[in-house]
Amino acid sequence: MPYWRLSGYYFFYFASLGALVPFWGLYLQADGFDALAIGQLMAILSATKIVAPMLWGHVADRTGRRIRLVQVGSLLSLLGFLCVFVAEGFWGMALALLLFSFFWNASLPQMEAITFNHLRARPTGYALVRVWGSVGFVLVVVALGAFVEHGSLEIVPIWVLFLVLGIFAITLVIPDNASTAGDRTSPSLRDLLRRPEVLAFFAACFLMQFSHGIYYAFYSIHLESAGYSSTAVGQLWALGVVAEVIIFLVMHRLLERFGARRVVLWSLGLAVVRWLAIGAFVDILLVQIGAQLLHAATFGTFHAAAIHLVHHLFPGRTQGRGQALYNSLSFGAGGAAGSLIGGVLWAGSGPLVTFGVGALMSALGFYILWRWTRESFGQDA
């Protein structure tokens, strides 16, 4: 298995996310955009996940040429991001982010399928590859936070550009794996999506990422409004991802011992606690440290368990579209809805209500998954 080359992709991809998520909202704010506009622009980064992964997944499942599609998407995302440097006004920035994020988001689900195919009989080892994405995120958040503290937010798009270039470069050395395009023994995607437990699972994923859409768009702004420095903001983001790194290292043991369904339920329950702590106690540093440590659960264990389930629920030639559906419905539709509605709530009702709605969505996701899936759901995964 090409461990380091696969890990390199995750490193650069999530390092670019580490430059975008904590600092892009601040960059937009410094560029003169208000809270509603920031919510709308940040939502574009999530909204393109609704369409792009499904398009790439459909082609990949039909052709089996996943790595070539990843390479094309990575190159086009690089070219798209260059438009940010010449964009003017809201619509110019919106178009630039649309072009960039469409192709940036299209490739990741296919890399997930490629990684699981390389893992073959050891799918629980996914977290040991994915952990390097978290390492990249941490390093960039800490380093860029220090640069922003002593410099200007104008450096943020330059960092993103070089990291996106790194994504494209690493895709050129990743080998493809056995094609599943000709596998006719797999169930149809339509039949899989008729299963109530699969629909309940995707609903829970949507609601979890809805709550994260609020967090990603407004957590940095929330902290800065409460008096935290840019360095402190970066350190709190990094702390959350360090916790994520640690949980990834033992994730295979958690899945083997407790099963994916139970891990996902725990993650949703802890998300309720996290969003309430962020919304109500932003002035208490120790509470914020505890809330960021819970990122290990709300993202780390949730994502690793969820994507593990997707790999087993969508076998063979449904793989690419299964991973694409997970990304589209959760990070795409859920994240976009969270950013958009979060922007409206933030402008009208403030942070406490906004993060309270995030907590409510996580609680609803917990109930749906608990109510409409059986204890045995995912145990064979």
Side-chain angles (χ1 to χ4, degrees), residues 300-353:
T301 59
F302 183 90
H303 176 64
I307 205 164
H308 189 71
L309 282 168
V310 171
H311 175 67
H312 286 270
L313 290 170
F314 296 87
R317 61 191 176 91
T318 64
Q319 245 181 74
R321 285 167 293 167
Q323 295 292 354
L325 271 170
Y326 168 65
N327 275 269
S328 296
L329 295 175
S330 58
F331 298 103
S339 293
L340 284 171
I341 295 175
V344 174
L345 291 171
W346 194 272
S349 303
L352 181 59
V353 171

Side-chain angles (χ1 to χ4, degrees), residues 61-131:
D61 282 343
R62 291 292 180 265
T63 66
R65 303 183 69 182
R66 297 191 196 282
I67 194 61
R68 181 56 57 85
L69 285 168
V70 170
Q71 292 165 349
V72 170
S74 300
L75 175 60
L76 292 175
S77 70
L78 174 62
L79 297 176
F81 191 78
L82 288 172
C83 298
V84 166
F85 294 91
V86 296
E88 294 184 4
F90 176 84
W91 291 109
M93 181 62 73
L95 179 60
L97 291 177
L98 178 66
L99 292 172
F100 157 67
S101 63
F102 183 91
F103 297 107
W104 185 61
N105 287 323
S107 301
L108 181 61
Q110 301 317 308
M111 274 304 304
E112 304 280 30
I114 290 169
T115 299
F116 273 107
N117 284 339
H118 278 298
L119 287 167
R120 299 186 185 278
R122 296 190 61 194
T124 55
Y126 164 80
L128 297 178
V129 177
R130 172 61 179 77
V131 69

Side-chain angles (χ1 to χ4, degrees), residues 3-24:
Y3 176 82
W4 290 111
R5 284 172 282 177
L6 292 171
S7 299
Y9 178 88
Y10 288 101
F11 179 91
F12 281 110
Y13 186 92
F14 287 96
S16 67
L17 192 67
L20 280 167
V21 170
F23 301 107
W24 199 254

